[in-house]
Amino acid sequence: MTPNWESEFTHLYDRCVDSMRFTAFLMCGNWHEAEDVLQSAFLKLYLAQPDLADRSGMEAYLHQIVVRTFIAERRRVRWRREKLTDAPPESLVVSPGAEDGLVVWEALSSMPARQRAVLVLRYWNDMSVEDVAATLGCSTGTVKSQSSKGLETLRRKLGPEFARSRLEA
């Protein structure tokens, strides 16, 4: 590893860690798993240094690694020592209006990993269809169909009363 790569990597980490952690959290559903995905992604990027001839667009490449690491973790069937439960060990602090976010979050967390990744990248990170396709390594048509299916799934899970009650408020 060259000293130049060390400083570039440190600068990239400092610049991107918070946004990448939050993106991982939105996809994973809990901070601990998000932190694991994020650490794996940064490690993969660090170890890929010898193969990186062009270092422009490192943030987009890191985004791609985070999403692909998340999807790979979801696909992997592995034994876990920890048992995930619906009840967190600590109490939640709910701010006014946060109930809607919790309801949407619950619906989003029950969706398939790829649909969730598309929705998070498209609508939370405000990425274009083309950028999401490049990040996920798929076609723009796949992103559009996954977006459509994901939004339909959210609407079905949330029910018609959810949208109607939010429009009246």
Side-chain angles (χ1 to χ4, degrees):
M1 301 292 159
T2 64
N4 190 25
W5 171 242
E6 298 283 333
S7 64
E8 281 182 58
F9 183 80
T10 302
H11 182 67
L12 179 70
Y13 180 87
D14 291 340
R15 195 174 65 240
C16 299
V17 69
D18 292 330
S19 65
M20 294 296 165
R21 182 182 294 120
F22 195 65
T23 297
F25 169 74
L26 289 172
M27 288 186 280
C28 295
N30 69 65
W31 289 109
H32 302 291
E33 190 177 348
E35 191 65 36
D36 290 344
V37 167
L38 186 67
Q39 287 178 11
S40 294
F42 272 109
L43 178 62
K44 289 175 184 178
L45 177 65
Y46 185 81
L47 295 175
Q49 183 268 337
D51 300 326
L52 299 175
D54 180 20
R55 293 193 185 147
S56 62
M58 291 296 283
E59 286 182 50
Y61 183 52
L62 180 60
H63 231 124
Q64 184 176 15
I65 295 171
V66 168
V67 172
R68 288 183 177 176
T69 301
F70 162 72
I71 290 172
E73 286 292 318
R74 290 291 180 197
R75 285 184 184 151
R76 190 174 300 145
V77 178
R78 63 179 211 220
W79 177 81
R80 293 180 187 235
R81 198 173 351 172
E82 305 87 22
K83 297 290 183 195
L84 298 178
T85 64
D86 290 339
E90 62 275 344
S91 63
L92 293 175
V93 177
V94 179
S95 61
E99 298 86 19
D100 291 349
L102 291 174
V103 170
V104 171
W105 174 248
E106 186 176 325
L108 187 64
S109 66
S110 66
M111 296 176 66
R114 193 157 181 95
Q115 280 183 7
R116 188 182 331 169
V118 167
L119 292 179
V120 167
L121 293 174
R122 278 285 290 135
Y123 301 106
W124 184 264
N125 287 345
D126 199 28
M127 292 174 69
S128 69
V129 171
E130 293 78 18
D131 290 342
V132 173
T135 299
L136 294 175
C138 63
S139 70
T140 57
T142 300
V143 171
K144 291 176 185 178
S145 69
Q146 290 290 309
S147 295
S148 176
K149 289 176 186 175
L151 291 173
E152 180 59 35
T153 302
L154 275 180
R155 287 185 191 104
R156 190 173 1 92
K157 288 179 183 282
L158 296 174
E161 295 302 316
F162 184 83
R164 201 172 300 128
S165 67
R166 298 324 171 262
L167 292 174
E168 295 169 1

